[in-house]
Amino acid sequence: MTSVLPEAGLVVAPTSREEAAEVVRRAAAGGRPLILTGNGSQLGTIPLPGVGDWLSSRALDRMVEHEPADLTVTVEAGCTLSSLQAQLSRVGQFFPTDYAAAGTVGGMIATGHAGPLALAHGGVRDRLLGATVITADGAQARTGSRVVKSVAGFDLGKLYCGSYGTLVFIVEATLKVAPLAEAVVHVRWEGPAGTLLDASVGLLNSAHRPQSLVAYSVARESGKPAGTVTVAARYAGRRESIQEMLGHGGSVMGSPAAVTSDPSAGWAETSAIATDGGDIMILDLPPSCAPEMLRSAETDDLDAMVDLGTGQALVRGDAIPPRCVDILWRLAAEGGGTMRRRDAAGIVTWKRAGDPAARQVMLALKNAFDPDDLFNRGLAEQML
Ligand SMILES: Cc1cc2nc3c(=O)[nH]c(=O)nc-3n(C[C@H](O)[C@H](O)[C@H](O)COP(=O)(O)OP(=O)(O)OC[C@H]3O[C@@H](n4cnc5c(N)ncnc54)[C@H](O)[C@@H]3O)c2cc1C
């Protein structure tokens, strides 16, 4: 996504927690709101506050502690996901997340996204063990621990996941990492949506299920019969067990169109869908809505992608017709999900289905954390 960060000189990027706390204290004293960011990779899809000074975690980018034997790592929040993965890979480990190389760890926590690998590894909520944050009065607060099973007090870290910079400025995080698999194989099946999506349910409910399973259709692809989808699976593990899983996948889904160990080939079309520009909607749906969502997108000549494990979906085209927007919103709302849209003119809108009473609890929480709405002013009202 396009970064809408202003030029570097207009963004304050502290190099220590103390400096970050001082920036927040000064802003609070002056009643001047702050727009929180990491590297700005997601800002194009967030209804940003119109006022405030920019505060970025990007210069807080050190690895603080890595305990390979405990499968834990503590990093500053501005560490990019690509640099984290590069450091972990030296000891045969990784943090289970997909794409988004430019994004920061703090941004990943604040957006709370879960990519397709969440099917096998859980999302960031499941892997955040602890966090250090700067609160709206400029205090440093550490929550959680470096052990996986900590039961002391409320799990504040989970609150920060998906808070979009409305509660605290995250400066450090302790994450649970995972060992890299001996081998990774990407498989693609192509065929009629009804048949393949039905079979996918069987694959997901089997002991041989893949690490991730995504269905997509690209409107611009010519020569394919109407109603054709591609289902892409990623298998990881020991080489011999992958062979067994591939055999099972073939028996459930039929002959694959491609089998490769090259991740870029395995996911090539999906990155074409997730490109910038045009009219984009990002939705959280119950995975069982995938057939209707893909059908609706195809009817309107749109590219569409849905993670069959988590239900995260993306629809893209030159202009998404109102009829399709209504269908997609109904599907998201039925499952209590969310819908984010950035239309071709760059206007960003968010909708969230949910219980009004729960919304009041969330707004009260926002008020308890940040009574003057210092962080990302106005965003909590819009997104909750
Ligand atoms: C195609 C794609 C795939 C993705 N896949 C995955 C995935 O598989 N798993 C996964 O976990 N994530 C995934 N993400 C999300 C990604 O990890 C995050 O969006 C990214 O890390 C954002 O980092 P950023 O620094 O650019 O955030 P920004 O764009 O700068 O900010 C995003 C939001 O986070 C807030 N924020 C940023 N930094 C902080 C901070 N330090 N403290 C408080 N608030 C902050 C901002 O206010 C803003 O609301 C994906 C994103 C994309 C585009």
Side-chain angles (χ1 to χ4, degrees):
M1 299 288 171
T2 311
S3 175
V4 295
L5 272 179
E7 55 191 82
L10 298 175
V11 179
V12 178
T15 55
S16 70
R17 293 186 214 175
E18 291 68 29
E19 218 184 291
E22 182 55 30
V23 172
V24 174
R25 273 195 295 273
R26 267 191 275 119
R32 179 93 188 133
L34 291 168
I35 306 174
L36 305 188
T37 183
N39 256 343
S41 67
Q42 285 287 286
L43 298 181
T45 57
I46 297 171
L48 282 174
V51 285
D53 297 329
W54 290 83
L55 172 60
S56 167
S57 63
R58 68 183 171 210
L60 291 163
D61 60 356
R62 287 161 290 241
M63 181 175 280
V64 178
E65 195 174 2
H66 180 198
E67 289 293 348
D70 292 340
L71 290 166
T72 60
V73 66
T74 300
V75 284
E76 290 184 327
C79 184
T80 60
L81 295 174
S82 56
S83 125
L84 174 65
Q85 303 293 26
Q87 298 193 57
L88 293 174
S89 70
R90 288 189 204 129
V91 292
Q93 296 182 341
F94 80 124
F95 184 75
T97 182
D98 309 79
Y99 330 108
T104 62
V105 167
M108 171 181 75
I109 296 165
T111 54
H113 286 187
L117 274 177
L119 177 63
H121 293 280
V124 64
R125 272 189 173 80
D126 308 296
R127 295 198 154 258
L128 179 67
L129 302 179
T132 303
V133 301
I134 309 295
T135 57
D137 57 0
Q140 292 184 42
R142 165 101 201 148
T143 181
S145 68
R146 286 180 193 154
V147 293
V148 174
K149 204 164 176 139
S150 168
V151 289
F154 296 134
D155 192 347
L156 292 177
K158 285 210 166 44
L159 262 185
Y160 307 149
C161 295
S163 63
Y164 281 90
T166 59
L167 297 180
V168 291
F169 182 53
I170 304 160
V171 289
E172 194 179 288
T174 300
L175 304 166
K176 179 88 181 153
V177 300
L180 279 167
E182 185 181 293
V184 177
V185 172
H186 300 265
V187 184
R188 274 187 286 138
W189 291 274
E190 278 178 16
T195 315
L196 274 191
L197 294 175
D198 276 356
S200 297
V201 175
L203 199 56
L204 284 171
N205 285 303
S206 76
H208 294 294
R209 77 176 184 181
Q211 279 208 318
S212 63
L213 197 65
V214 173
Y216 58 90
S217 63
V218 183
R220 295 177 302 278
E221 270 182 350
S222 55
K224 288 191 181 164
T228 299
V229 292
T230 304
V231 173
R234 172 174 29 194
Y235 290 94
R238 296 181 64 81
R239 284 178 215 290
E240 56 273 27
S241 60
I242 288 189
Q243 284 314 316
E244 205 180 312
M245 289 189 271
L246 289 178
H248 173 263
S251 70
V252 175
M253 303 284 288
S255 301
V259 179
T260 174
S261 55
D262 172 4
S264 59
W267 297 90
E269 290 88 346
T270 58
S271 55
I273 294 174
T275 52
D276 226 345
D279 195 349
I280 299 178
M281 281 176 67
I282 301 168
L283 306 127
D284 300 314
L285 307 162
S288 57
C289 294
E292 190 175 351
M293 177 240 164
L294 289 166
R295 213 177 312 120
S296 174
E298 191 191 54
T299 308
D300 288 312
D301 260 350
L302 304 165
D303 297 340
M305 172 165 78
V306 55
D307 176 350
L308 298 171
T310 66
Q312 282 223 344
L314 190 145
V315 175
R316 187 186 160 283
D318 293 336
I320 304 173
R323 189 197 66 86
C324 184
V325 173
D326 289 347
I327 293 174
L328 296 174
W329 169 237
R330 173 176 56 75
L331 295 176
E334 274 169 15
T338 58
M339 181 179 97
R340 288 187 285 154
R341 180 181 185 194
R342 195 192 60 203
D343 69 17
I347 296 168
V348 178
T349 42
W350 281 15
K351 274 173 104 170
R352 181 186 293 263
D355 180 354
R359 179 174 191 269
Q360 288 313 315
V361 175
M362 286 192 257
L363 287 173
L365 265 172
K366 160 69 180 172
N367 193 44
F369 270 90
D370 181 12
D372 297 323
D373 204 7
L374 188 77
F375 294 145
N376 286 355
R377 182 164 288 176
L379 184 58
E381 258 305 322
Q382 281 199 62
M383 75 172 199
L384 294 176

